[in-house]
Amino acid sequence: MTRQQTADPQDELATRLRLLQELSGHGVRALARETGLSSSSLSRYLSGQSVPPWAAVIELCRLVKRDPRPLRPLWDRAANPLPAPPKASRQVQPPSAPAGAPRPPRNDLPRDVPDFTGREAHLDAVLAAVAQSRVVAVDGMAGVGKTCLAVHAAHRLAADYPDAQLYLDLHGFTDGREPLDPDPALRSLLAALDVPSEKIPQEGGIEPLAACWRAELAGRRAVVVLDNAAGADQVRMLLPGAGESVALITSRNRLLGLEEVPPVSLDVLTPQESAELLARASGDPSGPDGRLAQDPEAAAEVLRLCGHLPLALRLAGARLRHRPGWTVGILVERMAEGPSEFDTAFAMSVRQLDRAQRRLFRLLGLLSGSSFDDYVAAALAGVPLRDARAMLEDLLDAHLVQQPSPGRYTLHDLVHQHARRAAEEQDTPAEREQALGRVLDYYVHAAAAADAAMPYESGSRAASAGSPPAALPAFGSKHAALGWFGAEYTNLMGAFEVAVATGADAHACELPRFMRAFFARRCGTTHLNVLFERSLAAAERLGDPWQLAEAHSDLGFARYNAGRMAEAGAAYEAAAPLVSQAGDARSAADLMMRRGYLSWDEGHVEEPLDLFRQAARLYAGAGCPTGAAHAAADEAWAMLQLGRREEAARLARDVLTQTHGEPGWPATLTARITLGMAIVHEEPGEAAQHLSQALELAREDGHKHNEAWCLNCLGVALRQMGRHEEALDSHREAFALLDELFEEHWKVHFLYGYAETCRLAGLPEEALRLHRQALDLAPKVGARHKEALAHEGIAAVLDESDPAAAAEHRAASQAIRRELNPDA
């Protein structure tokens, strides 16, 4: 049972080979010398122009110490492609995409301005540089039209780069905000390509992350706009490597550190171009009847006050367009009232708004995120959602707010600076603090609402920090919630930083807690551990026993999922007396469940069962049926591992009856796996059905760890049915997923099952390798039970070839089991 293959095998193989090249750190010539291949042949292999011999693939893998065998199926498909299907005799309208189908290529380019004026030579230079070097840097002063030119060029290039058209604001010169670091920038770009975070390196610094980005771009034809770069160091790691994708960079600085990137420098518009742009932006008719023509001196003064900068000219023109009663002289008077051409242009637009609109505009300057939605605007201003939407439309019409995509808004850097200055001058510190407090309240409560739509552990609690906002997004499904978390991720992290910086400790405690389900599916464990460390510090400042208990428990669970077992145990020990002091039954049940997982992985037998049973009773008493079912499902799984198949099957069936088998219940997945494994000998057909349904649930949920678990269990069940080849396929697919997760500690849970399948399928050497891998990994993560199993597995493999060594391994396993369960 394998995932559907959608990419062209030859292109996919080339992508994987380029990743091997990235791992080697060599250029093509050096790599050719190391592998004994010719440079020209290697170039063709890496570009996908031809399929390398299998021996060449082996040499590349050998160089970077990677096992070539996972690449063999892909190489077979590339070397022996299927014949193309016959063309249809007539054009048929394609059916609508089914639920879960791949999304169309990403295009988040801002709207191309309809009044693009001048810049013909610069546009030609940009397109020529892209054609020759694949990267170009557009530099110039603020407001000179760098972004406008880059976006216009990207729209021109879009047809030739159909796989993706990406835009990322690097905030190199955003007032009140630090430039975007390469790490979050790369993660945003990879997310825009729909690269699962399980494939994105979580550790090792910037180099592996940049290599992952280059490898993903190498197999695509994409155009990427990197806007507002602070300098060469910020953008260097974001550039494409091999392949055909292109990048357009804009910066107020000349990026001298990027010697290989050709620059295109912009100056202000010429007087003729400025006059043309002002006329087009203002809608002024050509000829002597136009307002600009009737007062040429005033029109020239507008151009001067705007500094011949396209942004200021467009704002001035828009104001004139929407004030047909104004003369150009009145426009000059209004513009001359401000301290600078930028501030006068912005202030002139703002003065045409009503009081509520002006207040919202000023408060938007307090936001630090790159984009926001109407719910955030409503919370910021403390107004009904309907009013916020109407005001945002007015700000859009005044060109003070931009809308890069439906439902998302942003402010240009210069507009943002003006709004922030205006807020500092016109709103009191208390008013600004209250506005930011409402934003923090909104993000905590919105994250809680999104979390409630995503099944995880015992279910979500309501937020207690701050006050609920007047309006929250509706999350009709977990996919809608996941989409919201993805869109708001940067803002959520910004809100967390604001909470920490301003002493909003209750918000800092709760926000990471409501993001656990999102992190489990999209972000891995490294960052979540850091968030919970800081959340614990906030809880200690609060001094609230319940918040402190939850913070210790959450940090322990994050440690556990990162394979840091000893630290997890210490966090749970710290949480236990605090949970007792807080007297919260649900918190006590959560802690018991987590201690049960840790105890089981450490090799204990009776203690986990007892903890799961206690947790089920506490959940039931607290009115939490989701948690009670989850605890019962884990108890059934533990029974199965102890060989108590009938009891495990009976309890798993009870859980499925309680939950009605609904996929929204976290217990359903565990119960189906347990039941399938428990009845595999008596009812193999039903067992396979339950395991297949569990796998479908995991895939639909987007949780790669659970998908790997299901695949591994299916492999064990198929082996017990005697279907060894299918079992091996399932195990291999599970471990292919685990290789994408970049969290090696997870493999310790699956190695024994895979190795035993290899042994019984007649692959003793492979079985021995896997058991020894487990023997090496288990002590590192504190999984003593897995260590004992690895010794037993090695003994089983060596029984015939080396009985003495087999006996030593059995003795080692028995010693570990006696140590873990001395009373057994």
Side-chain angles (χ1 to χ4, degrees):
M1 185 177 297
T2 58
R3 290 178 292 178
Q4 184 178 2
Q5 300 291 334
T6 57
D8 177 77
Q10 188 167 330
D11 289 343
E12 187 176 353
L13 178 62
T15 300
R16 300 290 291 275
L17 295 181
R18 287 191 294 271
L19 183 56
L20 293 176
Q21 181 193 7
E22 294 285 352
L23 290 172
S24 75
H26 293 314
V28 173
R29 292 183 180 178
L31 189 62
R33 287 196 302 270
E34 292 290 336
T35 57
L37 303 172
S38 72
S39 297
S40 58
S41 296
L42 185 57
S43 296
R44 290 196 299 273
Y45 305 154
L46 295 173
S47 64
Q49 297 177 33
S50 62
V51 177
W54 178 239
V57 177
I58 292 175
E59 282 301 311
L60 287 168
C61 291
R62 179 196 59 77
L63 181 64
V64 295
K65 296 181 173 59
R66 290 293 188 273
D67 184 356
R69 284 172 291 185
L71 289 176
R72 185 60 192 240
L74 178 59
W75 181 87
D76 286 336
R77 294 197 305 275
N80 303 285
L82 295 173
K87 295 184 178 179
S89 58
R90 60 188 179 88
Q91 190 73 20
V92 179
Q93 182 70 23
S96 58
R103 291 190 294 176
R106 179 72 170 253
N107 185 336
D108 53 14
L109 293 177
R111 176 173 172 263
D112 195 8
V113 293
D115 57 4
F116 187 84
T117 302
R119 305 296 194 202
E120 290 87 1
H122 295 96
L123 179 61
D124 290 341
V126 167
L127 298 177
V130 167
Q132 182 176 359
S133 303
R134 297 178 38 243
V135 183
V136 64
V138 180
D139 59 70
M141 66 179 296
V144 79
K146 302 179 295 296
T147 299
C148 183
L149 175 61
V151 169
H152 184 71
H155 279 282
R156 288 275 297 270
L157 293 165
D160 294 327
Y161 297 88
D163 295 331
Q165 298 87 43
L166 307 183
Y167 172 88
L168 181 64
D169 189 347
L170 298 175
H171 295 290
F173 300 91
T174 302
D175 189 29
R177 174 170 178 167
E178 291 296 315
L180 191 63
D181 286 334
D183 184 289
L186 286 165
R187 295 185 189 279
S188 296
L189 290 167
L190 287 165
L193 288 180
D194 280 336
V195 178
S197 69
E198 295 81 12
K199 292 180 63 177
I200 301 173
Q202 301 295 328
E203 298 178 350
I206 194 65
E207 293 289 348
L209 201 58
C212 180
W213 163 243
R214 292 193 296 269
E216 290 294 333
L217 274 189
R220 294 174 167 88
R221 290 181 59 84
V223 57
V224 184
V225 177
L226 302 171
D227 195 21
N228 201 9
D233 290 340
Q234 185 189 20
V235 78
R236 183 175 287 108
M237 291 296 186
L238 313 184
L239 301 182
E244 300 183 44
S245 294
V246 301
L248 292 78
I249 311 164
T250 75
S251 178
R252 295 184 191 178
N253 292 329
R254 292 179 178 175
L255 304 180
L256 301 178
L258 299 179
E259 298 176 358
E260 74 282 9
V261 176
V264 174
S265 297
L266 295 188
D267 200 349
V268 296
L269 294 174
T270 65
Q272 181 179 350
E273 290 170 339
S274 298
E276 180 182 352
L277 178 56
L278 180 62
R280 296 178 66 181
S282 64
D284 200 53
S286 58
D289 295 331
R291 284 179 286 179
L292 295 171
Q294 290 177 357
D295 193 348
E297 290 185 4
E301 182 63 9
V302 171
L303 302 184
R304 189 193 69 79
L305 289 172
C306 289
H308 299 287
L309 292 168
L311 178 62
L313 290 164
R314 286 193 174 92
L315 289 169
R319 189 49 42 210
L320 199 60
R321 175 193 291 268
H322 292 285
R323 293 293 181 270
W326 278 14
T327 64
V328 183
I330 294 176
L331 176 63
V332 170
E333 293 174 3
R334 297 295 177 88
M335 293 179 66
E337 294 172 1
S340 71
E341 59 269 16
F342 291 116
D343 278 329
T344 53
F346 302 148
M348 175 267 307
S349 295
V350 173
R351 279 195 293 271
Q352 309 310 312
L353 307 174
D354 63 31
R355 182 177 180 181
Q357 292 165 347
R358 291 197 300 271
R359 175 175 175 267
L360 173 61
F361 172 72
R362 293 195 307 270
L363 293 178
L364 289 174
L366 303 178
L367 297 177
S368 60
S370 57
S371 67
F372 58 91
D373 64 11
D374 43 8
Y375 289 93
V376 175
L380 180 71
V383 299
L385 179 63
R386 182 176 179 178
D387 293 352
R389 286 172 172 166
M391 286 189 282
L392 286 171
E393 289 299 317
D394 291 330
L395 294 177
L396 276 170
D397 291 341
H399 296 279
L400 291 169
V401 167
Q402 298 168 316
Q403 191 174 37
S405 61
R408 304 297 299 181
Y409 301 88
T410 188
L411 276 73
H412 187 280
D413 282 357
L414 300 175
V415 178
H416 186 270
Q417 292 170 14
H418 178 81
R420 178 182 287 270
R421 283 195 293 267
E424 292 172 351
E425 294 170 358
Q426 301 175 42
D427 299 303
T428 67
E431 289 171 332
R432 299 196 300 271
E433 182 179 345
Q434 290 167 4
L436 287 175
R438 290 190 296 268
V439 172
L440 290 182
D441 289 352
Y442 166 77
Y443 274 120
V444 169
H445 286 267
D451 184 49
M454 300 169 63
Y456 186 73
E457 290 194 287
S458 61
S460 179
R461 292 180 186 253
S464 62
S467 301
L472 288 171
F475 301 108
S477 69
K478 63 187 170 192
H479 299 295
L482 273 171
W484 181 84
F485 273 121
E488 294 285 355
Y489 176 78
T490 302
N491 293 337
L492 287 163
M493 293 298 97
F496 180 79
E497 295 296 337
V498 169
V500 171
T502 60
D505 290 328
H507 298 76
C509 284
E510 292 196 348
L511 194 55
R513 193 172 303 150
F514 295 129
M515 296 185 70
R516 292 174 304 175
F518 170 70
F519 269 81
R521 291 166 173 83
R522 291 290 184 270
C523 297
T525 61
T526 304
H527 192 190
L528 191 60
N529 270 271
V530 174
L531 289 179
F532 277 131
E533 289 168 7
R534 301 175 70 188
S535 181
L536 174 59
E540 289 171 341
R541 290 190 294 270
L542 280 176
D544 178 87
W546 179 77
Q547 288 282 22
L548 196 53
E550 288 287 284
H552 276 293
S553 181
D554 285 338
L555 179 58
F557 198 48
R559 298 287 200 239
Y560 168 80
N561 281 296
R564 299 158 66 174
M565 303 301 185
E567 295 173 81
Y572 293 157
E573 287 298 319
L578 293 164
V579 168
S580 178
Q581 181 183 350
D584 186 277
R586 185 164 164 184
S587 294
D590 286 343
L591 181 59
M592 284 183 179
M593 289 280 284
R594 293 167 173 181
R595 288 175 57 197
Y597 302 146
L598 179 62
S599 179
W600 180 265
D601 283 351
E602 289 176 337
H604 302 291
V605 177
E606 295 301 329
E607 183 185 38
L609 281 175
D610 183 56
L611 288 169
F612 292 147
R613 288 165 180 162
Q614 290 184 61
R617 290 193 293 269
L618 285 170
Y619 280 132
C624 181
T626 304
H630 199 177
D634 286 334
E635 180 187 350
W637 172 255
M639 285 181 176
L640 177 65
Q641 307 314 301
L642 295 173
R644 296 158 62 177
R645 289 178 172 272
E646 292 183 4
E647 295 174 84
R650 183 170 60 252
L651 185 53
R653 290 190 192 277
D654 289 344
V655 170
L656 289 175
T657 300
Q658 294 169 29
T659 63
H660 311 290
E662 290 293 331
W665 287 69
T668 299
L669 179 76
T670 304
R672 288 206 181 278
I673 292 175
T674 302
L675 182 55
M677 298 292 290
I679 65 173
V680 67
H681 296 298
E682 296 80 10
E683 299 289 343
E686 183 185 352
Q689 182 180 4
H690 283 297
L691 291 167
S692 296
Q693 288 172 338
L695 180 58
E696 290 174 8
L697 290 177
R699 284 176 170 165
E700 192 274 337
D701 193 35
H703 199 308
K704 297 298 182 183
H705 299 84
N706 282 344
E707 184 180 349
W709 180 32
C710 292
L711 284 164
N712 196 66
C713 290
L714 182 60
V716 172
L718 290 168
R719 175 234 296 165
Q720 293 176 353
M721 297 178 197
R723 296 156 62 178
H724 290 161
E725 288 303 318
E726 294 172 77
L728 288 171
D729 287 342
S730 191
H731 285 301
R732 287 164 182 158
E733 188 174 358
F735 272 73
L737 277 175
L738 292 173
D739 283 336
E740 296 174 2
L741 292 174
F742 291 97
E743 293 179 328
E744 284 292 306
H745 60 276
W746 276 95
K747 291 184 178 180
V748 77
H749 300 293
F750 309 121
L751 282 164
Y752 180 80
Y754 186 9
E756 283 300 281
T757 298
C758 289
R759 181 177 69 86
L760 295 171
L763 301 171
E765 292 301 320
E766 180 66 7
L768 198 59
R769 183 187 68 81
L770 293 169
H771 281 312
R772 285 175 173 158
Q773 184 179 349
L775 195 59
D776 176 66
L777 182 59
K780 295 177 182 177
V781 298
R784 300 301 306 284
H785 176 58
K786 303 299 183 184
E787 187 178 351
L789 283 176
H791 278 298
E792 292 173 8
I794 293 173
V797 175
L798 296 178
D799 266 335
E800 292 186 5
S801 60
D802 194 343
E808 290 178 4
H809 281 286
R810 282 202 175 88
S813 174
Q814 291 166 4
I816 293 172
R817 291 186 182 279
R818 283 195 299 270
E819 174 190 339
L820 295 172
N821 300 285
D823 298 329

